[in-house]
Amino acid sequence: MAWRASLSRSVKEIRVLLCQSSPASAAAREFVKKNYGDIKARNPSLPFLVRECSGVQPQLWARYDMGVERCVQLDGLTEAQIDKKLEELAKAGESPKSK
């Protein structure tokens, strides 16, 4: 998970949308509980927003330079799959110069 330490270099903001009680958001809630502290500790200036809304389908959003955003639906994914999706979003935001 070394990519987590460089997350703020490729992503300007992370948003997780989830429902407080729905089974569809259960894995997203657990992901936030278990990983929020580590991600914030490694990237203290990176906005990591958790938005709760009744009935919403779980989503993971990443905002990059110039306001470009990408979204991944999290419904049906496990915590490990959500972590992999975040890694993919982070790598998608890397500039060609850093590769």
Side-chain angles (χ1 to χ4, degrees), residues 66-92:
M66 301 180 67
V68 175
E69 294 187 336
R70 290 187 60 197
C71 175
V72 176
Q73 299 296 320
L74 304 178
D75 192 12
L77 299 182
T78 65
E79 289 176 57
Q81 291 170 321
I82 294 171
D83 192 59
K84 185 68 176 167
K85 292 295 182 184
L86 179 56
E87 181 179 5
E88 290 170 9
L89 288 172
K91 288 181 178 178

Side-chain angles (χ1 to χ4, degrees), residues 42-77:
R42 294 174 189 245
N43 303 279
S45 63
L46 177 68
F48 188 116
L49 311 174
V50 179
R51 299 292 185 237
E52 297 176 328
C53 180
S54 181
V56 72
Q57 291 298 312
Q59 302 172 6
L60 176 63
W61 287 83
R63 184 172 53 84
Y64 306 101
D65 282 331
M66 301 180 67
V68 175
E69 294 187 336
R70 290 187 60 197
C71 175
V72 176
Q73 299 296 320
L74 304 178
D75 192 12
L77 299 182

Side-chain angles (χ1 to χ4, degrees), residues 12-67:
K12 300 301 177 198
E13 178 184 280
I14 297 170
R15 282 190 315 275
V16 179
L17 280 64
L18 52 82
C19 177
Q20 307 93 317
S21 58
S22 77
S25 291
R29 288 191 303 269
E30 284 303 309
F31 174 80
V32 170
K33 283 182 195 175
K34 292 181 179 177
N35 296 284
Y36 178 87
D38 179 55
I39 292 171
K40 282 304 286 182
R42 294 174 189 245
N43 303 279
S45 63
L46 177 68
F48 188 116
L49 311 174
V50 179
R51 299 292 185 237
E52 297 176 328
C53 180
S54 181
V56 72
Q57 291 298 312
Q59 302 172 6
L60 176 63
W61 287 83
R63 184 172 53 84
Y64 306 101
D65 282 331
M66 301 180 67

